[in-house]
Amino acid sequence: MFDTSPETVLERLAALREGDAPTHGGHVLSYVYDSGLAEIDELAASAARIVQPLNALDPTTFPSAAVLEGEVVGFARRALHGGEDVVGSVTSGGTESCLLAVATARAAWRARGGTGRARIVAPSTVHAAFHKAAHYLDLDLDLVPVDAEGRAIGLVDRLGPDVALVVVSAPSYPFATLDDVETVAAAALAAGVDVHVDACIGGFALAFWPGELPLWDFRVPGVTSLSADLHKYGYAPKGVSVLLQRGRDRQRLQYFATSRWPGYPVVNATLLGSKPAGPLAAAWAIIAALGVPGFERLTAQTQRATAALQSTVEHIDGLRLVGDPVGPLFAVCADEGVPPESRVDPHLWADEVRARGFLLQLQPGLVQSDGPRLPHTTHLTITPVTEAVLPDLQAALVAAADAVRGVPAVSGADVLASVGELGAASAETGPSAESDLAAATLTQIGLLGEGAAVPDRLAPVLALVEELPAPVVERLLVELIARVVEPR
């Protein structure tokens, strides 16, 4: 029956996985959200297996999918303090939730009489998903500068009749800033503008976070939609998110429906047509098994680990936290208040931490339009399992800082010069660069080619990202990812 035995196929898959970053054990502080409970992963896998053949495209054919979605949305609505007028959809991830929030707001704006090209107003720290939404849905993204600590300045001053949506974050991914949802929503409500709260990363953590926080969810009048990812602090496998909307009539604008072809009538609440039910069932099973007490326990673990790591960073000479981070993530930058010989460059630090067995996420600096330059930073996302590895992680953070204290940051100009004429040609050609030229540049940098792998030291790569114009960087990154997934 098989050309190759299933055992051989699975052995091949396991061998491929050996090159991946570890998804469990607390050694990767971005992208993965490890509860630390093996039984949660096993439950999720078993639930997904039960519904593996289902297509959630049509809940009238597969009513179990409708029940699962309704119960997941119901849990999210309760956790995020929505009333009966709050309804929602399960999506394939945060990006889809954000795209749908923008599409709904644009439709609502047009229904209110808006004409021409609509505008989205958001802080410069808003997630890249909204850049994608503006690109695909043909809206202007009006980015408002934040201060050096990540606080949004003047969002309400940008409101106007052409604004379809203002977006605030709970919290922002780069710096974990909890935007002033109450102030923005009050002004937007008075101006008749929709407000979306992007709580994709923080939603199901902040909902159970110990202590008092400023209001940020549906308790705030004027919040019209909110996104929260279950594949983050809902501990479900990728990809499953929830988009909640205030008002049934408004939420129906999110739907696409057509009967204008000779096939079956198509009605979709999301961008996807055919939809796997596996992630939905996994999220549903985890919610049912953990309940509110389970989420509270896991969130408390995460909060303790976050506080411990923030304290560790605060006691490292030459580093500091960016702003006043809220929730289970934070960013670290060089402390410019100490002499150069005492400073620690966050990118060199992250590379040294990686050499000690823990992966942090390097973030480039950003020159904002009419705003202060944001420093380059290192990002840490904390999960419940982090508490189990705290001693080793804290020791790695301290030792890595000691190893690079006083070492200047990598110069992007020097990195670009090392690439030579080929790099200069690619930089001049910019986003229209031919694929082969872009690939040759990547090969010379060492990011592409025979035997190329993720470099052990990423600080030079990030320095190059900061040095080159954004269109050039984006073109090179497109080529990198496209080449990586081409057939070999």
Side-chain angles (χ1 to χ4, degrees), residues 192-463:
V193 174
D194 289 354
V195 174
H196 179 75
V197 176
D198 174 19
C200 284
I201 191 166
F204 288 107
L206 297 189
F208 304 103
W209 200 253
E212 293 294 323
L213 294 174
L215 297 183
W216 58 273
D217 56 14
F218 281 107
R219 288 171 291 183
V220 179
V223 169
T224 50
S225 59
L226 185 153
S227 53
D229 289 357
L230 285 155
H231 62 217
K232 292 188 172 75
Y233 290 95
Y235 311 109
K238 301 289 191 277
V240 56
S241 176
V242 171
L243 172 62
L244 300 179
Q245 308 256 22
R246 196 193 297 269
R248 286 185 177 85
D249 289 342
R250 185 180 182 282
Q251 192 250 1
R252 299 322 190 241
L253 297 173
Q254 172 189 318
Y255 278 70
F256 170 81
T258 184
S259 58
R260 303 173 199 184
W261 77 307
Y264 59 92
V266 173
V267 182
N268 299 144
T270 58
L271 297 176
L272 298 182
S274 293
K275 292 171 60 176
L280 168 63
W284 173 88
I286 291 169
I287 289 168
L290 285 178
V292 170
F295 278 98
E296 289 175 340
R297 286 192 296 272
L298 291 173
T299 304
Q301 285 179 235
T302 305
Q303 189 273 336
R304 290 193 299 267
T306 303
L309 290 173
Q310 289 177 349
S311 177
T312 298
V313 171
E314 288 170 339
H315 286 87
I316 294 177
D317 189 30
L319 289 174
R320 70 174 183 87
L321 300 177
V322 177
D324 185 18
V326 175
L329 55 154
F330 59 92
V332 180
C333 68
D335 186 354
E336 301 290 340
V338 301
E341 62 270 18
S342 297
R343 291 176 198 161
V344 176
D345 178 74
H347 287 178
L348 296 177
W349 175 63
D351 281 344
E352 285 293 330
V353 173
R354 183 190 183 100
R356 289 163 171 79
F358 292 91
L359 276 66
L360 313 182
Q361 189 173 61
L362 288 69
Q363 299 184 136
L366 177 70
V367 178
Q368 302 180 97
S369 174
D370 300 324
R373 184 187 187 282
L374 300 177
H376 64 268
T377 62
T378 290
H379 170 104
L380 291 83
T381 294
I382 316 305
T383 60
V385 77
T386 308
E387 192 172 46
V389 297
L390 268 178
D392 289 344
L393 176 54
Q394 289 169 311
L397 299 182
V398 172
D402 291 341
V404 299
R405 185 170 289 108
V407 179
V410 176
S411 165
D414 290 346
V415 176
L416 185 59
S418 72
V419 179
E421 294 182 3
L422 189 60
S426 182
E428 291 174 4
T429 306
S432 62
E434 294 181 356
S435 293
D436 288 346
L437 174 59
T441 303
L442 290 165
T443 299
Q444 189 162 342
I445 297 169
L447 294 177
L448 197 65
E450 192 68 31
V454 176
D456 291 332
R457 303 284 169 170
L458 291 175
V461 177
L462 270 291

Side-chain angles (χ1 to χ4, degrees), residues 112-139:
R112 293 192 297 268
T115 58
R117 187 181 174 95
R119 190 160 45 101
I120 306 169
V121 172
S124 63
T125 49
V126 75
H127 195 275
F130 292 93
H131 292 248
K132 180 183 283 189
H135 171 73
Y136 279 129
L137 299 173
D138 194 31
L139 288 86

Side-chain angles (χ1 to χ4, degrees), residues 104-114 163-165 191-194 250:
T104 304
R106 185 185 64 176
W109 174 75
R110 288 174 174 172
R112 293 192 297 268
V163 176
L165 184 67
V193 174
D194 289 354
R250 185 180 182 282

